[in-house]
Amino acid sequence: MKNIVLLLSFSLLLVAASYSPIGVHDYRVRKVVIDAGHGGKDPGTHGKISKEKDIALKIALELGQTIKKYLPDVEVLYSRKDDSFPSLHERAQFANRNNADLFISIHCNWVANPTVQGTETYVMGLHKSDANFDVAKRENAVILQEENSEVYEGFDPNSPESYILFSLTQSAYQQNSLSLASKIEHQFKTRVGKHSRGVKMAGFWVLWETSMPSVLIETGYLSNEQEEKELNDPLQQSYIASGIFRAFRDYKDEIESMN
């Protein structure tokens, strides 16, 4: 791949330079970027009655409003607030330019087996199963629809070899990302009443490129008929958003208590 060696070296230098112990220098969670996956010409996955891009946007906006209401000291930014199509690169760079303290990306899942259901929250890391790799490939596949593909330096979302880039890079933010992801899945299981499939790792480009703790939430399976109905229910969307909010609030409290 073009310039892949240079990109790997530069990435390792960035991680080494950016690492610092968490909980010092009066660290506060003051700004969060909420990313509604897909959008515009990219519908994401779909079920019988809905598209991923629409459900993700509704949950993202609900989450943002809840944070603004109950944590007014936190600035909420959105990668998109309508049916637009920001690239994966643009989403990550938007968070980086705004010096966000957290990046939360919201999605819906799909699998060929229609009986599978439940939530999953991903952090950046090397996939440990073919199922995790399949999710990453599907979410990264939007790169193939983008016009400015040269920013990805030849990365092919369908090629296992391309993911070597991720396996050689250890995120300085992985521990905090795992903490938030665990809290999200705990809320889904204990408060929202969802079936939690747990915290997982995979090579998502948008998580790799963000320079802050980041998670990607799969809120449910549109390939499961019952779960698709639930994901389209405004009340259920509100419950999901409130579960993410409570996890965010608890994460914020935990991080700031270390100061």
Side-chain angles (χ1 to χ4, degrees), residues 49-193:
I49 61 173
S50 56
K51 299 174 182 177
E52 178 181 6
K53 67 174 184 177
D54 300 323
I55 295 173
L57 181 59
K58 291 175 181 177
I59 294 173
L61 295 176
E62 179 77 16
L63 171 60
Q65 289 301 314
T66 305
I67 292 174
K68 289 178 181 179
K69 179 177 180 180
Y70 293 104
L71 295 173
D73 62 315
V74 176
E75 182 179 0
V76 176
L77 300 173
Y78 302 91
S79 64
R80 69 180 181 97
K81 297 178 70 175
D82 53 24
D83 192 23
S84 56
F85 177 65
S87 70
L88 293 185
H89 176 72
E90 289 167 345
R91 295 168 195 263
Q93 288 306 309
F94 174 75
N96 293 342
R97 284 195 310 272
N98 283 281
N99 297 311
D101 298 306
L102 273 180
F103 179 85
I104 300 174
S105 189
I106 297 175
H107 293 257
C108 301
N109 219 333
W110 191 94
V111 70
N113 183 348
T115 66
V116 176
Q117 62 176 318
T119 63
E120 301 170 354
T121 301
Y122 283 86
V123 302
M124 181 61 217
L126 184 62
H127 62 272
K128 296 181 180 180
S129 72
D130 290 340
N132 292 9
F133 185 40
D134 288 343
V135 175
K137 284 193 296 183
R138 188 181 69 248
E139 299 296 3
N140 290 331
V142 64
I143 291 172
L144 303 177
Q145 301 184 45
E146 297 178 11
E147 297 177 0
N148 190 26
S149 60
E150 59 268 20
V151 298
Y152 301 103
E153 295 288 347
F155 177 82
D156 179 356
N158 294 316
S159 169
E161 290 76 17
S162 286
Y163 289 80
I164 294 173
L165 169 68
F166 301 140
S167 67
L168 295 179
T169 306
Q170 176 65 46
S171 172
Y173 308 101
Q174 188 176 75
Q175 183 176 351
N176 280 21
S177 300
L178 284 168
S179 176
L180 175 60
S182 297
K183 289 175 173 56
I184 290 170
E185 286 301 311
H186 176 74
Q187 288 290 335
F188 283 159
K189 180 179 180 179
T190 62
R191 297 292 295 275
V192 184

